[in-house]
């Protein structure tokens, strides 16, 4: 009995604290309801190529980015109000969701793929493991409507957002109209996602010859091995050629055929969109189904586990034998290099934290 | 010479002051260490990850692959009702079955005396859950020790994870028969959520913990995995193999709130 009353008192105390938090909660500075087109100063990192996103069709403003952030962290985008975008896209794992092989969502349902990072989306020509979405502005529709993710209809989401007292004035500030449309809702989300630029890892500072850009001998050796053995697919400063390749993973029971599901072309069987390797250390597990939990396992796959099949990428065969020859010290050096792609500034940047 | 004499006189004076000050405050004269050891069991058996099959109250066989939970806000109480509250900044611990060292929690600078009960929370309180990221260090660093134990700002930390396999679980997309309980929710940051925080009070009963000067008092706390399934409301893996943020989470939390008991208490 004593235990129970203590528990009840404890619960009341905590409820009190939580309610105190909630009443003191301000979703950002008070909205003025006045259109404010002050641009958001989006900068291309010096070592990056030109972005592919059409900024002219959705000019980024400070108010637009702030609105997008509010929406990104708002559970109202899901059917039961519990699953915000930020539930699966967590800053400390570079907007992926560490620790789950398969993503999970509404009603505790489990999906069929491992969530990909949201980073450097301004350069992305396609999204999802099968590249089924090619425009950032329509990206959010998929998770909102996926019955295993947010399980809601976009129309209902818009209705809920319209009914929230805090939103119309903020849409007015961002887009000059209180009308909440599918277009400005999605464009606000895009604006926030476009701010997720990761370009300040130790590697970046090394290539830009900036302070803090020192790589050890092992890391430099790893970089050079990486360029020889991995950069065919994980190309350039984005660490992806944005192509679809079969990397020789044995097909699991889920029998995910990847890109084939979109194109229905035999030649696309088992091909998946090459992910960037930026912040890879922080976004485990790896592969489309999250089957590997460590970078060591990933490299072991590429050296010993590659399974031959008609669509296997030619770069993954050496003299007809599947796999990339790698010695144990080489693997260690490559992993040392991959860890220099962790962008501490990005994963702790306060601008991504909800107000 | 005179200086040296003066200095030693001063030292003696200071020493006496300290001594008198100590004696003037009989409640906190000296300190010892309390070592809380969380031993996870399954009924009468020791918990072994992966290798051993157990049976829950619904008659379902299961193995455990992961059992991890936060212990925080620890308090020790004496018979007279006075209590020692472990300082907030050093009162968050993430214990994991796979990491034996993490299951031993050392509380230093505990005032000497006889403690008759212990209080702690399973999980991370709402204040800490809404604190700026800079205050989330050590066991609370979602990018470090707490990797995998955090959802987002509104849902907060995951308080307890119990994962394993069961032949009664349906096949998931990767072909495995897994069951997964990830329990959290502190009340919500922007949007109200359930509150599954549980405060545990355990009486040490007939064997109070004697904390002595410079000594270490060991308190064994047992946590019974079977209670996670059957503590209050019996849960079936077949019926709900995955419980995370849905309403059923509160049943799991109510269940695990009953899983702790005091094992042995000893002074070294």
């Amino acid at each position: 009995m004593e235990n129970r009353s203590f528990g009840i008192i404890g619960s009341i105390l905590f409820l009190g604290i939580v309610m105190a938090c909630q009443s003191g909660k301000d979703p950002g500075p008070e909205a003025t309801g006045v259109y404010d087109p002050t641009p958001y100063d989006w900068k291309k990192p010096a070592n990056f190529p030109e972005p592919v996103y059409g900024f002219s069709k959705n000019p980024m403003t400070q108010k637009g980015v702030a609105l997008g952030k509010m929406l990104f962290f708002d559970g109202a985008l899901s059917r039961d109000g519990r699953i915000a975008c930020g539930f699966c896209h967590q800053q400390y794992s570079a907007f992926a969701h560490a620790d789950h092989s398969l993503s999970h969502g509404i009603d505790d349902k489990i999906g069929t793929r491992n969530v990909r990072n949201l980073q450097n989306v301004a350069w992305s020509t396609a999204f999802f493991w099968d590249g089924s979405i090619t425009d950032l502005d329509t990206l959010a529709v998929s998770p909102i409507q996926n019955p295993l993710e947010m399980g809601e209809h976009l129309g209902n989401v818009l209705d809920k957002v319209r009914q929230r007292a805090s939103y119309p004035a903020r849409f007015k500030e961002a887009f000059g109209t209180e009308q909440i449309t599918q277009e400005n809702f999605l464009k606000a989300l895009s604006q926030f996602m476009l701010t997720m630029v990761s370009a300040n890892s130790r590697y970046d500072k090394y290539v830009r010859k900036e302070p803090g850009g020192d790589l050890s001998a092992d890391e430099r050796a790893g970089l050079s091995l990486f360029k020889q053995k991995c950069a065919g697919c994980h190309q350039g400063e984005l660490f992806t050629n944005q192509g679809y390749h079969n990397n020789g993973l044995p097909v699991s029971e889920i029998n995910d055929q990847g890109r084939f599901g979109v194109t229905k072309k035999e030649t696309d069987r088992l091909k998946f969109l090459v992910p960037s390797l930026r912040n890879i250390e922080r976004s485990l597990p790896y592969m489309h189904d999250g089957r590997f939990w460590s970078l060591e396992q990933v490299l072991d796959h590429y050296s010993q586990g590659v399974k031959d099949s008609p669509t296997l990428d030619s770069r993954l065969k050496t003299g007809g034998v599947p796999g990339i020859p790698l010695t144990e010290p080489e693997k260690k050096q490559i992993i040392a290099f991959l860890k220099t792609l962790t962008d501490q500034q990005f994963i702790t940047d306060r601008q991504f934290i909800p107000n | 010479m005179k200086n040296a004499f003066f200095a030693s006189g001063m030292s003696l004076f200071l020493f006496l002051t300290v001594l008198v000050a100590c004696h003037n405050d009989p409640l906190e004269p000296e300190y010892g260490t309390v070592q809380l050891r969380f031993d996870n069991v399954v009924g009468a058996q020791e918990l072994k990850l992966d290798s051993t099959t157990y049976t829950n109250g619904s008659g379902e066989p299961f193995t455990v692959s992961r059992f991890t939970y936060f212990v925080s806000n620890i308090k020790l109480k004496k018979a007279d009702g006075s209590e020692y509250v472990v300082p907030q900044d050093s009162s968050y611990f993430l214990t994991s079955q796979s990491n034996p060292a993490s299951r031993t929690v050392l509380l230093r600078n505990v005032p000497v005396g006889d403690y008759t009960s212990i209080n702690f929370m399973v999980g991370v309180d709402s204040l800490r859950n809404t604190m700026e990221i800079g205050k989330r260090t050590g066991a609370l660093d979602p990018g470090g020790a707490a990797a995998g134990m955090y959802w987002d700002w509104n849902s907060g930390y995951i308080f307890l994870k119990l994962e394993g396999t069961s032949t009664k679980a349906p096949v998931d997309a990767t072909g495995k028969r897994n069951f997964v309980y990830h329990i959290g929710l502190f009340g919500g940051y922007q949007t109200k959520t359930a509150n599954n925080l549980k405060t545990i009070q355990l009486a040490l009963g007939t064997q109070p913990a004697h904390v002595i000067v410079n000594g270490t008092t060991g308190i064994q706390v047992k946590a019974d995995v079977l209670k996670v399934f059957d503590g209050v409301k019996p849960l079936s893996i077949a019926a709900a193999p995955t419980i995370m943020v849905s309403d059923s989470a509160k049943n799991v939390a109510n269940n695990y709130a009953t899983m702790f008991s005091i094992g042995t208490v000893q002074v070294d």
Side-chain angles (χ1 to χ4, degrees):
Chain A
M1 190 56 214
E2 201 187 44
N3 275 356
R4 179 163 302 178
S5 59
F6 193 92
I8 291 167
I9 293 166
S11 310
I12 291 169
L13 275 174
F14 271 100
L15 195 66
I17 290 168
V18 167
M19 281 162 66
C21 288
Q22 296 213 318
S23 56
K25 166 126 291 316
D26 179 7
E30 216 36 61
T32 58
V34 176
Y35 179 45
D36 177 2
T38 311
Y40 176 92
D41 188 17
W42 191 92
K43 284 198 191 79
K44 180 184 89 64
N47 53 322
F48 274 39
E50 287 303 316
V52 298
Y53 184 76
F55 287 95
S56 59
K57 63 176 178 172
N58 184 16
M60 287 174 77
T61 62
Q62 291 180 16
K63 295 293 184 188
V65 169
L67 171 61
K69 180 162 105 174
M70 248 178 103
L71 293 167
F72 189 87
F73 289 108
D74 194 336
L77 272 60
S78 66
R79 193 185 69 232
D80 67 359
R82 294 176 196 191
I83 315 291
C85 306
F87 187 74
C88 292
H89 297 286
Q90 305 173 342
Q91 182 178 3
Y92 61 82
S93 44
F95 296 99
H97 191 168
D99 209 41
H100 288 90
S101 302
L102 302 169
S103 58
H104 64 92
I106 197 107
D107 302 333
D108 293 341
K109 285 177 181 158
I110 306 280
T112 58
R113 286 181 180 153
N114 179 18
V115 64
R116 285 172 70 105
N117 293 60
L118 277 176
Q119 56 181 354
N120 300 333
V121 293
W123 290 266
S124 297
T125 51
F127 301 91
F128 300 107
W129 286 102
D130 55 12
S132 55
I133 297 288
T134 53
D135 179 2
L136 177 66
D137 293 346
T138 58
L139 172 66
V141 182
S142 288
I144 287 172
Q145 304 212 132
N146 187 314
L148 305 176
E149 297 179 23
M150 296 159 97
E152 184 55 292
H153 296 288
L154 185 58
N156 291 344
V157 171
L158 294 174
D159 283 343
K160 282 189 274 184
V161 171
R162 286 175 190 128
Q163 281 153 23
R164 289 278 187 94
S166 45
Y167 277 116
R170 288 190 163 79
F171 273 84
K172 172 86 177 179
E173 287 176 345
F175 296 104
T177 170
E178 284 197 354
Q179 275 208 334
I180 297 172
T181 63
Q182 175 181 309
E183 183 185 354
N184 55 23
F185 167 83
L186 290 170
K187 283 187 170 171
L189 279 170
S190 290
Q191 289 196 25
F192 177 56
M193 289 188 279
L194 287 163
T195 65
M196 297 171 181
V197 176
S198 177
N200 284 311
S201 66
R202 203 146 49 80
Y203 162 80
D204 290 295
K205 290 172 185 166
Y206 171 76
V207 294
R208 294 197 299 254
K209 301 185 168 53
E210 289 170 3
D214 298 321
L215 298 195
S216 70
D218 268 349
E219 289 162 350
R220 286 198 307 273
L223 169 59
S224 137
L225 285 164
F226 179 86
K227 285 196 166 156
Q228 293 164 42
K229 295 172 187 271
C230 317
C233 291
H234 296 287
Q235 216 174 67
E237 295 302 86
L238 298 167
F239 292 89
T240 168
N241 64 359
Q242 307 211 47
Y244 303 90
H245 301 283
N246 172 355
N247 68 348
L249 289 172
V251 180
S252 69
E253 287 200 34
I254 176 175
N255 195 22
D256 190 337
Q257 294 285 317
R259 182 72 176 159
F260 172 81
V262 175
T263 64
K264 303 293 174 196
K265 283 199 238 166
E266 283 303 317
T267 51
D268 281 336
R269 278 198 189 274
L270 304 175
K271 291 186 178 177
F272 293 89
L273 181 60
V274 175
S276 170
L277 300 181
R278 288 182 169 275
N279 297 302
I280 190 78
E281 180 190 10
R282 302 298 286 266
S283 44
L284 65 150
Y286 307 114
M287 305 296 162
H288 65 272
D289 54 7
R291 69 177 69 187
F292 299 135
W293 286 77
S294 69
L295 292 169
E296 286 76 11
Q297 287 177 313
V298 171
L299 291 188
D300 287 348
H301 161 72
Y302 283 117
S303 69
Q304 292 127 36
V306 172
K307 191 173 182 302
D308 203 357
S309 69
T311 57
L312 179 69
D313 195 85
S314 60
R315 280 166 285 216
L316 289 173
K317 270 189 193 177
T318 314
V321 180
I324 302 172
L326 286 169
T327 64
E328 290 308 310
E330 285 176 332
K331 288 180 192 173
K332 284 200 169 66
Q333 288 173 328
I334 290 175
I335 289 170
F337 161 68
L338 289 174
K339 290 182 177 177
T340 71
L341 295 173
T342 302
D343 182 349
Q344 206 61 35
Q345 189 183 322
F346 178 63
I347 56 187
T348 58
D349 194 330
R350 303 188 60 86
Q351 67 164 311
F352 301 119
I353 295 175
N355 298 313
Chain B
M1 187 61 202
K2 202 174 172 182
N3 272 355
F5 184 72
F6 177 73
S8 49
M10 272 308 277
S11 311
L12 185 68
F13 174 71
L14 280 173
F15 177 70
L16 283 175
T17 311
V18 171
L19 214 62
V20 169
C22 289
H23 277 262
N24 275 348
D25 187 0
L27 276 180
E28 292 189 77
E30 280 140 337
Y31 304 94
T33 297
V34 170
Q35 185 192 65
L36 293 180
R37 202 175 80 229
F38 287 85
D39 280 342
N40 300 320
V41 298
V42 186
Q45 295 170 268
E46 194 185 322
L47 172 62
K48 291 239 185 331
L49 290 182
D50 301 312
S51 55
T52 309
T53 302
Y54 308 98
T55 307
N56 68 16
S58 303
E60 298 168 322
F62 67 93
T63 67
V64 175
S65 56
R66 170 145 61 174
F67 190 45
T68 302
Y69 49 89
F70 273 107
V71 172
S72 71
N73 293 279
I74 302 170
K75 290 177 196 168
L76 297 168
K77 256 189 196 165
K78 290 181 180 170
D80 65 5
S82 65
E83 61 182 22
Y84 170 70
V85 180
V86 176
Q88 249 280 318
D89 278 340
S90 39
S91 202
Y92 293 87
F93 302 93
L94 180 59
T95 76
S96 178
Q97 179 64 22
S98 62
N99 176 4
S102 74
R103 300 202 308 273
T104 296
V105 166
L106 272 187
L107 309 174
R108 297 179 203 280
N109 301 319
V110 178
V112 297
D114 285 356
Y115 292 89
T116 53
S117 73
I118 174 168
N119 263 34
F120 58 89
M121 183 181 282
V122 182
V124 177
D125 54 276
S126 58
L127 282 182
R128 199 53 73 152
N129 249 304
T130 50
M131 226 168 241
E132 66 158 305
I133 208 82
K135 299 263 185 201
R136 301 164 183 226
T137 52
L140 291 172
D141 179 3
M149 294 301 282
Y150 186 72
W151 285 312
D152 64 14
W153 279 79
N154 206 60
S155 309
Y157 286 90
I158 296 171
F159 306 155
L160 175 142
K161 275 189 174 181
L162 174 64
E163 298 178 5
T165 62
S166 172
T167 52
K168 297 293 179 189
V171 180
D172 77 7
T174 57
K176 300 193 177 91
R177 293 182 185 276
N178 290 329
F179 77 92
V180 175
Y181 294 164
H182 291 179
I183 309 304
L185 300 182
F186 63 92
Y189 178 61
Q190 285 149 324
T191 313
K192 202 171 185 312
T193 68
N195 183 340
N196 293 323
L197 284 163
K198 296 293 167 196
T199 300
I200 312 298
Q201 182 172 29
L202 298 173
L204 297 171
T206 52
Q207 40 176 2
H210 305 287
V211 176
I212 58 166
V213 182
N214 297 330
T216 300
T217 307
I219 303 175
Q220 182 198 29
V221 179
K222 289 184 178 178
D224 184 354
V225 173
L226 285 183
K227 292 283 172 57
V228 182
F229 294 105
D230 301 306
V232 180
K233 187 185 161 104
L235 299 173
S236 150
I237 294 171
T242 305
I243 301 178
M244 293 192 243
V245 292
S246 62
D247 292 336
S248 324
K250 71 171 188 295
N251 297 327
V252 184
N254 288 337
N255 280 356
Y256 70 59
T258 69
M259 76 177 171
F260 297 98
S261 62
I262 296 291
T264 56
V265 177
Q266 62 186 44
V267 183
D268 288 331

